[in-house]
Amino acid sequence: MSFVADLRVVLRGRDFRRLFSTRLVSQFSDGIFQFGVTGFAFFSPESQTTALQVAVGLAVLLLPYSILGPFVGVFIDRWSRRQILMVAPLVRGALLLIAAGLVAADVPDAVFYGAALAVLGVNRFFLAALGASLPHVVPAERLMAANAVTPTSGTVVTFVGAGVGFLLREVFGGQDFGVALLLVISGVVFGLSALVARTMDRQLLGPTYDPKRPQARQAVRNVLVGLADGAKHLVRHRTAVATMGAMAAHRFFYGMATALGIILYRYYFTDGDADLALRGVGVVVATSGVGYFLAVIITPYATERFTIERWVPIALSVAGVLTGALVLPFQEWGLPVAGFVLGVAGQSVKICADTTVQRDVEDIYLGRAFSIYDMLFNGMYVLAAALSAAILPANGKSYLAVVIIAVGYPVAALLYRMITTSSRAHVV
């Protein structure tokens, strides 16, 4: 249970506990918000959900992270990070109140999506500031442990927030007024993270002043040049590229599985009953979360036993074979089990990808490498949802989509294995 041991170690630091608490409060709020948006976009009793609407909704939820991701560092490295952690929750809280008012006023969906994009854009700055602040509150020898526990804990708390959002929706109802109340609660909780951040000294989290640092305008231009330079550097590290590719492949097929599952629950399994559909998807999300957490525990042991280069194709192949076997009968019980399988496999591959990039890529290129990684991580998911919009029937029952997922995972595993084997032979 290295996760528990790492958590105990880093929690000894007072400043880390404060930064960690800021993350937990904010990501709990994020879980409520994401559940509220998902319910409004895909499971509103007043509207009919199509695969195209699913693609649009997922794009709204994820594209800000891909588009803004490479650029936020320019400002995170110039503004007081503690102030960002204080101001961003207040701005996001105000935007959520506006979004709640828009929902209650029954405005067109496009207007609501615009407000949601603004909320997520602010959240991107907040999360980037949290990540950049971590080295300022943790000794260098404990940074690896802190990096191991903070994203996992944040994701688990996000799942908990989504669960609370589900329970609140049961109380408030799935109508527009109930969704508006969820957004208000999310905004208030997120605002509380500003109070936690305020307990830290303004200078504690940096950034360190650098008189040679270029102006922000020049730095933004440099981002694009830097990404191209980072991509050229990555090409020379084939194992890292292959593992990032494996992660991108998983996100693509997982995106297809998500869109497929939403439409199946919305129409095929429940005959259009939005509340029953949301409960079914909630079960899948819960089993995926269990799989995610289990992957955090077993992946270190699996990679020690098999090595990363063997464990990644094992995880991908098992994901494809079992998902096909579980989903092809199109029985409702198969999707939660498939969610668990994809949670274990996907998080296993992500942990391996994170580790490989950190291990193989020179430190001076790491930021750019992870910016590219972040763009792939979210972009492939949205691309898959767009493809699903083109091929899924109205009720979601698509043998073609399941076959693409079931075959695609093993093909990705084979390609990964071929690249890493040839790369190792080239080194030798």
Side-chain angles (χ1 to χ4, degrees), residues 3 42 105 198 259 264 290 314 351 363:
F3 173 84
F42 307 143
R198 193 174 184 276
L264 281 174
V290 173
I314 289 173
I351 292 170
D363 184 67

Side-chain angles (χ1 to χ4, degrees), residues 154-174:
T155 302
V156 169
V157 169
T158 301
F159 276 114
V160 173
V164 171
F166 174 82
L167 295 176
L168 290 175
R169 189 179 188 274
E170 292 292 298
V171 175
F172 299 147

